[in-house]
Amino acid sequence: MILNRAKAISLAALCLCTGRPLQLSAQRGEISGRVLADMPERPIADARIEVRTRGLTTRSEPNGRFRLMDVPPGEYVVVVRALGFDSLVVSIRLAANDVVDVDFLLTRTAQAMAPVQVEADRTIDRLRLAEFDERRAMGFGRFLDRSVFEENSASQVDVVLIGRVPGLRTRRVSGKTVLAAQRDAQACYPQVVVNGISVFNGAPTKIARETLIFDVSSLRADEIIGFEWHNPSSTPSRYNATGAGGDGSYCGTAIFWTK
C-alpha cells in the first residue's frame, strides 16, 4: 500500500493488506514498510516514524525501510517526518496479529531562500593598482582606468587601446594580435607586463620572438582594471631591462592590470 498526502487512508484499504476483517484483540501486530520521496520514488534514510498516543518511534534505514513491532491492536495516527520534506500524517487501524506493510511517500519542501546581497571585494584590485595610481599621479605615461574597459567590455582589447594611446599600433604575428610601436621606421614590439610580471621582453631571434610574443587578444576588456603605456624614457625602473635582440623596453612598455 502506498500512502501520501493526497490519499485518505480508509479502513477498507487497510483490509486489502491483510485479506481479512480487522478485529481488535489483546494480541499485538506490526507496522512496517518504506519511506520514499514521491518523485521519483527513492528511499529516504533516517526519517522518523511516530505512532501517536503510544509513544512508539523508529527511524528508516538507508534503504528507506522501517519496522514498528509489538503494536497493540487499535486505530492510530502515524506521523512521518524527514529533513527537507513535508510531514505526512495518516491514520492506520491495526488488528490482532496484523502486519501492515505500507509505503509512505513524502513531498519535498519548497524552501524560500532569504535574499542575499553580494558585494564585490575590490581590496585585491586596489593593491594591484597602487603602482598604477602612484605613476598616474606623477604624470608620466598614458593611463586608461577601469571605466574605459567597462564601457567597451564587448570590444577587443586592441580596439580599446588603438586611438586612445598615441603611437601604439597592433600587428598580426604568427596568428597573434600583438602590440607594436613605430621606431626607426620599423615595427617595434614593446615589453608587455601583466600584473607586475613581464610576459614579453624581446627575444634574440625572429623565430623566438614570434613564439614568445604576447597575444593581446588573450585578454578580455571586461577583466582589465587598468592599463599603462610608457615610452622608453618613462618606463618604470623595475621594468627597464632591455630585452635581448634590441626589443623589450627599447620599444616602450605596456602594463596591464587585471581582476
Side-chain angles (χ1 to χ4, degrees):
M1 179 185 297
I2 297 177
L3 302 182
N4 60 27
R5 189 178 296 275
K7 295 182 180 179
I9 306 303
S10 65
L11 175 61
L14 289 174
C15 288
L16 294 176
C17 297
T18 63
R20 61 182 181 275
L22 298 178
Q23 297 178 346
L24 298 182
S25 73
Q27 295 174 311
R28 296 173 181 265
E30 175 183 313
I31 302 173
S32 59
R34 298 179 300 170
V35 182
L36 306 170
D38 61 348
M39 292 183 65
E41 291 187 9
R42 293 181 178 175
I44 300 175
D46 202 38
R48 176 184 171 88
I49 302 94
E50 176 185 1
V51 179
R52 289 279 178 88
T53 72
R54 300 301 304 184
L56 298 174
T57 63
T58 189
R59 290 190 176 273
S60 61
E61 299 174 357
N63 61 3
R65 296 207 65 87
F66 70 93
R67 190 178 185 187
L68 284 164
M69 302 178 62
D70 201 27
V71 182
E75 186 171 352
Y76 301 104
V77 173
V78 179
V79 181
V80 186
R81 295 187 177 92
L83 184 64
F85 295 84
D86 291 331
S87 298
L88 181 65
V89 181
V90 297
S91 295
I92 291 181
R93 181 172 292 176
L94 188 67
N97 297 318
D98 261 352
V99 176
V100 176
D101 190 74
V102 59
D103 286 349
F104 294 121
L105 302 186
L106 303 189
T107 303
R108 292 188 182 277
T109 302
Q111 297 181 344
M113 302 298 292
V116 177
Q117 183 175 356
V118 179
E119 295 183 358
D121 183 0
R122 293 187 171 178
T123 302
I124 296 177
D125 292 357
R126 289 194 296 271
L127 291 174
R128 285 182 173 174
L129 288 178
E131 289 185 36
F132 175 92
D133 292 333
E134 181 180 350
R135 287 192 286 268
R136 182 167 60 173
M138 295 174 62
F140 299 107
R142 302 283 298 188
F143 298 84
L144 302 179
D145 62 19
R146 178 196 301 266
S147 64
V148 174
F149 296 96
E150 288 180 343
E151 292 170 2
N152 297 275
S153 60
S155 301
Q156 297 291 329
V157 172
D158 59 300
V159 174
V160 178
L161 298 179
I162 302 308
R164 291 182 172 86
V165 180
L168 189 62
R169 301 288 184 268
T170 57
R171 291 172 61 90
R172 294 290 292 175
V173 177
S174 298
K176 301 177 181 179
T177 301
V178 303
L179 298 179
Q182 198 71 23
R183 188 176 179 87
D184 300 330
Q186 294 182 349
C188 190
Y189 301 111
Q191 176 181 203
V192 179
V193 177
V194 179
N195 294 330
I197 299 173
S198 180
V199 295
F200 176 75
N201 191 23
T205 67
K206 178 181 178 182
I207 294 176
R209 180 173 62 241
E210 292 182 355
T211 301
L212 299 174
I213 199 165
F214 183 75
D215 187 352
V216 72
S217 66
S218 64
L219 297 174
R220 299 197 320 267
D222 62 359
E223 68 183 359
I224 298 175
I225 57 177
F227 174 78
E228 306 175 41
W229 169 251
H230 297 277
N231 292 319
S233 59
S234 68
T235 293
S237 58
R238 62 174 295 191
Y239 305 122
N240 205 22
T242 301
D247 291 336
S249 57
Y250 171 82
C251 302
T253 300
I255 304 176
F256 292 93
W257 300 98
T258 68
K259 296 177 182 178

